[in-house]
Amino acid sequence: MSGEKLSVFVTRKLPSAIQTRMTELFRTTLNSSDTPRTREELVEAVQNCDVLVPTVTDAIDADLIAQAGPRLKMIANFGVGVDHIDLTAARAKKIVVTNTPDVLTEDTADITMALLLSVARRFAEGERRVRSGGWQGWSPTAMLGHRVWGKRLGIIGMGRIGQAVARRANGFGIAVHYHNRAPVAESIENELQASYWANLDDMLSHMDIISLNAPATQETHYIMNRERLAKLQPHAIIINTARGDLIDEEALADALIDGKIAGAGLDVYEHEPRVTPRLLELNNVVLLPHLGSATFEGRVEMGERVIINIRSFADGHAPRDRVVGSF
Ligand code: 8YV
């Protein structure tokens, strides 16, 4: 790269320490208002900047990438999931794409466990009852939930986050099962006391709790479709902290309303920020606004990771977190 500073376009407001550092290092365009950039603004950005720093809320699709100018050499995503970026189009244009793995693993696993406990023990419903003044005092039979200790958790997607969930589940005395494209290393299976199911359908019918921890890809789109949801036991609960389109949200609402499954904890939705309206009315569903990685610490570390990726690219190295990068 030449001595000239890279021009970097950041689509959303980031932690101020990160914005300050980026401004020192690059010719950075920030978004101080934090309203998502319009399509027109994104088009203008990709025509003029060297590096685009998008987030999950930006559709970096093939059409946008096709309009990119010759300067655009890198998309340094702020976030680990890259399903909002058309990687094939980026590869075809020799645009490097990076993400921010590792730094949000533990926070996302925490939110998974929080939802799991919340649904099983009816936290959100109980909290609503107290706030609304509807709580009449303790009763031996009121608001009974289900014990999680001794239950079977089926993790779909045993990558970093799935493993972090398994580690927590071990601590709660929950038996860990998992489905993944391939089994993880035996040493990891042993450490996590995890049992592999090659056949997802078989696993589903044996679990008490399901946690989705896989990335959104063509293979995982609607991995929990209507037929798969029907394989769950009526007392089963399902937790999704991955991506909304791993579950057919309408089919999920049907399964919950018809009592085919017992509950759901969702942090992500098929059409964010829209939530299938019928889910909003159900007491056995806990709904969070995509909080998985929303910690002060995590956001700063994500920003640092973006900066490291851009700097190593600027220095002529292959950035460590490249998702697309070898042409
Ligand atoms: C991030 C996430 O906050 O990193 C991801 O893939 O889902 C989130 O937790 C978001 O992507 C930021 O772009």
Side-chain angles (χ1 to χ4, degrees):
M1 292 261 108
S2 71
E4 198 191 320
K5 281 185 177 178
L6 287 179
S7 93
V8 176
F9 187 95
V10 183
T11 65
R12 301 297 301 264
K13 185 174 176 183
L14 302 184
S16 57
I18 296 302
Q19 297 198 149
T20 304
R21 190 68 187 127
M22 287 184 111
T23 312
E24 287 163 0
L25 291 168
F26 317 116
R27 269 192 304 124
T28 309
T29 305
L30 299 170
N31 182 355
S32 53
S33 78
D34 196 34
T35 39
R37 294 290 189 174
T38 63
R39 184 70 176 182
E40 293 68 36
E41 286 170 333
L42 286 178
V43 170
E44 202 190 321
V46 295
Q47 284 173 351
N48 296 303
C49 68
D50 299 307
V51 180
L52 180 73
V53 179
T55 74
V56 68
T57 54
D58 304 301
I60 314 300
D61 53 27
D63 174 64
L64 185 82
I65 292 173
Q67 297 186 65
R71 290 183 66 150
L72 185 71
K73 289 280 171 283
M74 180 181 199
I75 299 172
N77 188 53
F78 183 88
V80 67
V82 286
D83 45 294
H84 54 293
I85 303 172
D86 191 314
L87 301 180
T88 311
R91 190 172 292 113
K93 271 203 137 177
K94 296 198 174 5
I95 296 170
V96 172
V97 180
T98 56
N99 66 348
T100 62
D102 307 319
V103 292
L104 39 72
T105 300
E106 304 302 333
D107 296 332
T108 308
D110 284 344
I111 286 288
T112 305
M113 291 309 286
L115 279 173
L116 188 162
L117 290 167
S118 245
V119 177
R121 299 297 304 275
R122 303 171 66 178
F123 289 178
E125 190 187 345
E127 215 255 359
R128 281 193 293 275
R129 187 168 294 188
V130 173
R131 278 184 196 272
S132 69
W135 184 42
Q136 303 295 322
W138 186 86
S139 139
T141 52
M143 290 218 63
L144 303 184
H146 282 280
R147 176 185 291 163
V148 298
W149 185 91
K151 295 288 159 52
R152 296 174 134 214
L153 166 67
I155 297 174
I156 301 178
M158 198 56 141
R160 299 179 194 85
I161 298 172
Q163 291 175 30
V165 171
R167 217 161 275 126
R168 283 160 177 73
N170 282 174
F172 278 89
I174 300 171
V176 175
H177 298 256
Y178 74 101
H179 169 77
N180 202 41
R181 275 174 307 185
V184 294
E186 210 179 312
S187 56
I188 297 176
E189 264 192 1
N190 291 340
E191 182 216 326
L192 302 175
Q193 301 168 58
S195 310
Y196 179 61
W197 295 72
N199 186 312
L200 175 58
D201 295 321
D202 290 346
M203 181 176 89
L204 293 176
S205 58
H206 289 85
M207 296 299 124
D208 305 301
I209 307 160
I210 292 293
S211 174
L212 291 161
N213 298 104
T217 61
Q218 269 174 9
E219 293 75 48
T220 61
H221 178 78
Y222 276 12
I223 193 165
M224 289 307 292
N225 57 20
R226 196 171 288 277
E227 293 69 39
R228 291 241 169 83
L229 287 165
K231 294 194 189 302
L232 295 173
Q233 306 185 71
H235 70 267
I237 64 173
I238 185 163
I239 309 299
N240 189 7
T241 54
R243 280 291 181 266
D245 72 353
L246 269 62
I247 306 185
D248 176 345
E249 212 169 280
E250 287 295 334
L252 176 68
D254 288 341
L256 288 159
I257 290 165
D258 299 344
K260 300 273 172 54
I261 62 172
L266 307 176
D267 187 42
V268 288
Y269 306 88
E270 222 184 307
H271 305 289
E272 288 184 21
R274 195 182 83 82
V275 178
T276 297
R278 291 182 301 151
L279 291 175
L280 301 173
E281 286 152 28
L282 300 176
N283 253 336
N284 53 346
V285 178
V286 179
L287 305 167
L288 297 181
H290 202 143
L291 288 183
S293 62
T295 63
F296 289 106
E297 298 84 348
R299 290 286 188 259
V300 168
E301 289 173 11
M302 288 163 75
E304 285 167 349
R305 210 63 183 232
V306 168
I307 291 172
I308 292 169
N309 284 322
I310 300 175
R311 288 194 81 177
S312 59
F313 175 74
D315 290 344
H317 304 301
R320 157 174 162 198
D321 301 322
R322 60 194 190 282
V323 184
V324 171
S326 324
F327 307 107

